[in-house]
Amino acid sequence: MNIRKFTSMILAASMTAALFAGCKDEEVTTVPTTDPSAVQITETTAETVPETSAITTHTAEEYRTAGVNELNSVPILMYHRIYDMKNADTEYTGGNVDKDGYNRTSEAFEADLRSYYKMGYRMMRLTDYVDGYIDVPFGYSPLILTFDDGIRDVVLQGWNDDGTPVFDPSCAIGILEKIKAEYPDYNVTATFFVNSQLFENGEENDRKIMKWMVDNGYDIGNHTRDHVILGDCDADEITKQVGAMYKKLDEIIPGQYVNIIALPFGSPEKMGPDKPQYDRIFSGTYEGFEYTSKAALLCAWTRCYSPFVREYDNTCLRRIRGYDNGGKDWDIEMNFAQLNDGRRYISDGDPNTIVFPSSDNSSGDWLKTTYGHQVITYD
Ligand SMILES: [Zn+2]
């Protein structure tokens, strides 16, 4: 990658940095008060250099104190069915409803959401993450929620006089709406990946619900028409499974669904030139309907890379399974313990900049894609 560096000294910023640096002994050595490069602004192309005033910058000391690092990892949670049960009602660990923990109790799901909030995570849309647009406040970390299969995620109880849906308070969206009202700064959102049966409230109801969802901060994506293992399908079958589902979404919520697919059973795990049929996951034409996918999600097991780094691969985004296993086997507790131990993406609050400690890109090629954003490093 050809990064043309220009170092820009922002006088006020560096003066403040110097001021802070003087307060702590250990900082004096790392941030010399006369070093103008404590905060470096790097731009990828000469053509797209924005006005410096258009972006928000902080001092190196402020970035350091908050631990700002936008090359670190992002949790994409994978949930399935949410059941109206207490944890004590299940035979399994924590809030697991089934042996493998794919389904979760309402009690545990609500507690999960409160826990992420307390740990300093704020929600964002999956589609924005795939576009490299991460908009969470300074010092906070992005959190992305996904639900597969649709079943028991959106359970309709009826309709209000004004045409808005009444949800079962124990289903996923019922709990999300409750949390949304309670924490206005959480930016509650989630992406629901559905098959042709949608949410199983009856086709007409589900069509109306989906319109309400996209107007109220939720996203709908593709989980194939029949929930098949795409890794076992030939090109025509993949085209049918992926294309028919997009076509259906386009009829119900034209232009408002996300062009992202959650791969049933996480298959195929690897795309590549030896399997050209897998290209149909990402583009094709089904019954005259042209479709594209800008990303594909695997089933589990751990945090996903920052969209800016070399290892990030939009064809196989990793997710964290929303389950309990006593802090082992990549459950929520284990994943968040790792994230919170210096691996989590911490935002600078400006979606148009990428900020990280310069040491994190000492190899020179860990930062790979900037999406046209301005790059700011600090020492
Ligand atoms: Zn599924």
Side-chain angles (χ1 to χ4, degrees), residues 313-326:
D313 181 352
N314 68 312
T315 70
C316 51
L317 300 179
R318 303 188 307 202
R319 292 187 283 176
I320 293 169
R321 194 196 316 172
Y323 87 124
D324 274 338
N325 202 354

Side-chain angles (χ1 to χ4, degrees), residues 125 147 150 152-156 159 163-165 167 171-174 176-177 180 188-194 198-199 201 205-221 249 252-253 256-257:
R125 298 172 71 201
F147 293 84
R152 276 221 49 90
D153 289 338
V154 176
V155 179
L156 183 70
W159 297 94
T164 55
F167 298 114
C171 74
I173 203 158
L176 286 164
E177 285 293 292
K180 185 196 277 182
V188 168
T189 181
T191 304
F192 294 81
F193 290 94
V194 293
L198 306 176
F199 294 107
N201 293 295
N205 282 326
D206 276 340
R207 285 173 174 257
K208 283 160 67 182
I209 289 169
M210 286 165 69
K211 290 190 172 79
W212 179 89
M213 288 174 75
V214 295
D215 286 341
N216 285 271
Y218 300 99
D219 286 307
I220 313 282
L249 293 178
I252 303 170
I253 40 173
Q256 290 185 286
Y257 56 96

Side-chain angles (χ1 to χ4, degrees), residues 122-134:
R122 296 294 180 265
M123 294 187 208
M124 64 169 292
R125 298 172 71 201
L126 175 65
T127 185
D128 286 343
Y129 163 83
V130 170
D131 291 340
Y133 188 83
I134 299 187

Side-chain angles (χ1 to χ4, degrees), residues 80 148-149 223 227:
H80 285 78
D148 286 8
D149 301 1
H223 199 37
H227 203 275

Side-chain angles (χ1 to χ4, degrees), residues 93 324-335:
T93 311
D324 274 338
N325 202 354
K328 301 190 303 287
D329 296 325
W330 304 101
D331 70 351
I332 294 173
E333 183 185 339
M334 179 177 171
N335 269 296

Side-chain angles (χ1 to χ4, degrees), residues 37-107:
S37 65
V39 176
Q40 289 187 328
I41 301 181
T42 308
E43 183 52 42
T44 49
T45 61
E47 294 76 38
T48 58
V49 175
E51 295 289 325
T52 303
S53 59
I55 61 164
T56 309
T57 58
H58 296 262
T59 64
E61 174 64 14
E62 286 169 332
Y63 289 135
R64 233 187 342 263
T65 302
V68 171
N69 190 328
E70 301 189 312
L71 300 188
N72 267 352
S73 298
V74 175
I76 304 176
L77 269 297
M78 177 188 74
Y79 287 99
H80 285 78
R81 305 177 193 191
I82 304 296
Y83 282 91
D84 185 11
M85 295 172 86
K86 294 287 183 190
N87 295 353
D89 298 338
T90 79
E91 303 170 41
Y92 304 102
T93 311
N96 299 349
V97 172
D98 58 294
K99 181 172 144 299
D100 296 317
Y102 282 97
N103 303 302
R104 196 131 175 86
T105 66
S106 318
E107 181 190 4

Side-chain angles (χ1 to χ4, degrees), residues 7-54:
T7 302
S8 167
M9 192 187 89
I10 300 163
L11 190 61
S14 62
M15 281 173 68
T16 314
L19 198 67
F20 275 103
C23 300
K24 286 183 181 176
D25 287 347
E26 72 270 21
E27 305 297 1
V28 174
T29 52
T30 52
V31 187
T33 54
T34 54
D35 181 3
S37 65
V39 176
Q40 289 187 328
I41 301 181
T42 308
E43 183 52 42
T44 49
T45 61
E47 294 76 38
T48 58
V49 175
E51 295 289 325
T52 303
S53 59

